[in-house]
Amino acid sequence: MIGVAVLGATGTIGVNTLDVIRRHTGEYQIIALTAHSQYERLAKQCEEFNPDYAVLVSEEAADKLEKLLKQKGINTRVLHGADALEQVARLKEVDVVMAAIVGAAGLQSTLAAAQAGKRILLANKESLVMSGKLFMDQVRDNDATLLPIDSEHNAIFQCMSDDYAQGLDKIGVNKILLTGSGGPFRELPMAEFSKVTPEQAIAHPNWSMGKKISVDSATMMNKGLELIEACWLFATDLSKIKVVLHPQSIVHSMVEYVDGSILAQLGQPDMRTPIAHGLAWPRRIESGVSMLDLISMPDLQFAEPDMQRYPCLGLAREAMKTGGTATTILNAANEIAVQAFLDKKLNFTGIAKTVEFVLEQITARTADTIETVVSEDGHARIVAVDYIEKITMQAGAVH
Ligand code: NAD
Ligand code: MG
């Protein structure tokens, strides 16, 4: 049996992971499930999967979970607090850690999984964006296995020769073609961007996802974070990666080789495919995803992204060029701005403005320790909050 810890079990990726595992209960055993505070959903998951541990960050929610589990006669041990996330990621019974917490909150537990030499299924791209080199060093030094779950990176991984760690030039890769749908506002007149509501922004045309990544997809910051993620995962730089708009989300990304071949991975826009791939790699298992019907498929289109429409994509590119903690700052400012937008304290165009402002205010440093990364993340959050307060006050009424 393969022992699995699902960090962020109640989220979109967590729920999809459990759906794949449900189909293979003889092979995978859930050791730990974690969530922030959704104790009722976690209780249901404990009832079905009977893990050894359940973790909630909120102590109050953990107390409620404990009571619920007791009533149902389930003997899962309940822990609480952020440290407990790291604790379960390191358990010796755990072989695979699904890192599916959203945002910077996932950094320490994902790093703990790397330090403990686990197979990490990486959905939490923010942890890699925040601490790229440090994270990759921990993976290498502790013989951890890092498998990308982000659909694009999983597609690239599937299209890449096994020995890509030698360098992309050595294996004849000309370019990585990173596809993105362009989100729900690909054709919206730009003059209307400032009026866009959170409800419109989280209604992604092709994928069903958590709120934060849905807003990131609408601004294309998601593609910016993915550019950075791809640089670290495939040991390459921005010059080797081209972002391609592909509104149908059927081709999940491609690798172009020097001989003129382009390898692509196609499939339904359903995260259970990359999750099943990560769980079973190098084998293949059934994921519950229906087969693509090529005959009745819509035409596949590809286009250049319009950088005016998606300023966040340009900001991410610049931050990666600057290097060091610039990507930590980018990520932190974006998380604050997206939350402010979801709380209706900032308009949609304010997200890119906030990130740009914070990047201008803070001079990036070398990201040589995790303490530096964490303190830079905190600093950038304070600068972002101040900026949002200031522009909100200047604008008067907020919509
Ligand atoms: P989600 O919002 O649906 O779920 C987030 C999970 O993290 C929940 O279980 C929540 O309880 C937990 N969580 C939130 N804040 C926390 C905190 N402070 N401490 C501990 N746990 C916390 O998000 P999602 O869409 O499942 O995305 C999860 C991650 O996967 C993100 O990094 C996202 O970028 C990445 N990802 C998601 C998709 C997708 O299709 N949803 C695709 C690619 C990558
Ligand atoms: Mg993606």
Side-chain angles (χ1 to χ4, degrees):
M1 289 285 261
I2 298 166
V4 184
V6 184
L7 312 180
T10 56
T12 313
I13 295 290
V15 167
N16 277 307
T17 303
L18 293 177
D19 187 67
V20 176
I21 288 179
R22 181 179 288 128
R23 295 159 199 277
H24 305 277
T25 44
E27 274 182 81
Y28 298 94
Q29 185 184 356
I30 300 288
I31 306 292
L33 295 174
T34 86
H36 182 265
S37 44
Q38 282 180 300
Y39 68 94
E40 281 165 319
R41 185 170 240 185
L42 196 59
K44 288 215 175 79
Q45 293 178 336
C46 289
E47 202 171 350
E48 180 178 355
F49 292 97
N50 198 22
D52 298 340
Y53 297 90
V55 180
L56 283 162
V57 177
S58 148
E59 185 172 1
E60 199 189 326
D63 286 344
K64 290 180 179 158
L65 176 67
E66 205 155 16
K67 280 193 195 113
L68 265 181
L69 294 184
K70 214 173 209 169
Q71 278 167 17
K72 293 182 182 177
I74 299 160
N75 57 0
T76 296
R77 212 173 132 197
V78 178
L79 307 175
H80 69 263
D83 289 351
L85 299 171
E86 291 173 51
Q87 197 182 322
V88 296
R90 291 180 195 274
L91 287 170
K92 69 170 187 336
E93 312 87 283
V94 168
D95 304 297
V96 176
V97 174
M98 166 52 85
I101 291 173
V102 60
L107 175 67
Q108 306 285 5
S109 51
T110 311
L111 269 179
Q115 283 157 356
K118 305 298 186 192
R119 172 182 287 206
I120 304 169
L121 308 191
L122 186 74
N124 177 229
K125 65 191 92 183
E126 294 92 342
S127 55
L128 194 50
V129 168
M130 288 174 77
S131 69
K133 182 173 181 322
L134 281 166
F135 186 89
M136 295 308 290
D137 286 352
Q138 293 292 346
V139 169
R140 187 199 53 219
D141 295 349
N142 297 289
D143 278 331
T145 305
L146 185 60
L147 297 175
I149 296 304
D150 216 345
S151 58
E152 296 76 3
H153 306 73
N154 183 268
I156 295 162
F157 180 79
Q158 294 196 44
C159 298
M160 202 59 98
S161 318
D162 291 343
D163 45 358
Y164 67 85
Q166 293 178 12
L168 298 191
D169 286 330
K170 292 222 172 83
I171 59 162
V173 170
N174 191 49
K175 277 230 154 47
I176 288 173
L177 306 175
L178 182 69
T179 55
S181 70
F185 309 134
R186 190 172 44 87
E187 292 183 328
L188 187 75
M190 278 161 61
E192 291 176 32
F193 273 18
S194 61
K195 297 195 203 79
V196 157
T197 64
E199 293 73 22
Q200 291 168 318
I202 62 178
H204 196 278
N206 307 334
W207 295 93
S208 158
M209 308 181 285
K211 283 185 187 164
K212 193 257 173 184
I213 185 176
S214 298
V215 176
D216 284 348
S217 299
T219 60
M220 276 193 94
M221 178 59 94
N222 184 47
K223 214 47 57 185
L225 300 177
E226 290 183 357
L227 257 181
I228 300 167
E229 185 186 10
C231 287
W232 290 116
L233 284 173
F234 302 107
T236 188
D237 59 39
L238 293 167
S239 67
K240 278 269 189 219
I241 309 174
K242 186 174 165 54
V243 174
V244 180
L245 275 196
H246 168 49
Q248 293 77 24
S249 303
I250 293 291
V251 173
H252 298 307
S253 277
M254 297 170 267
V255 179
E256 182 182 272
Y257 288 89
V258 288
D259 61 4
S261 302
I262 294 180
L263 302 194
Q265 187 257 357
L266 283 70
Q268 302 280 10
D270 188 319
M271 290 306 293
R272 290 176 299 176
T273 296
I275 290 167
H277 179 263
L279 278 170
W281 179 82
R283 293 181 303 124
R284 298 274 179 175
I285 55 171
E286 213 253 308
S287 66
V289 176
S290 63
M291 295 300 139
L292 256 189
D293 177 5
L294 289 171
I295 308 294
S296 56
M297 203 165 62
D299 287 344
L300 301 183
Q301 297 162 321
F302 301 95
E304 258 332 311
D306 171 355
M307 299 304 277
Q308 301 267 306
R309 180 175 283 273
Y310 301 111
C312 285
L313 186 53
L315 290 168
R317 195 176 263 286
E318 283 310 309
M320 187 63 194
K321 266 194 209 150
T322 306
T325 57
T327 56
T328 318
I329 298 165
L330 171 97
N331 180 66
N334 181 59
E335 285 191 27
I336 293 290
V338 169
Q339 193 56 52
F341 168 68
L342 287 170
D343 295 340
K344 304 200 173 178
K345 290 182 188 149
L346 182 71
N347 71 28
F348 185 71
T349 49
I351 297 174
K353 286 186 194 142
T354 305
V355 175
E356 186 174 16
F357 178 84
V358 180
L359 279 167
E360 276 168 7
Q361 290 297 305
I362 307 177
T363 309
R365 300 183 268 165
T366 312
D368 48 3
T369 66
I370 202 65
E371 289 75 23
T372 309
V373 167
V374 171
S375 91
E376 198 80 309
D377 172 78
H379 183 194
R381 282 168 197 269
I382 292 168
V383 177
V385 168
D386 284 352
Y387 174 76
I388 293 168
E389 269 173 18
K390 206 170 76 198
I391 60 168
T392 320
M393 261 156 38
Q394 279 166 2
V398 183
H399 48 95

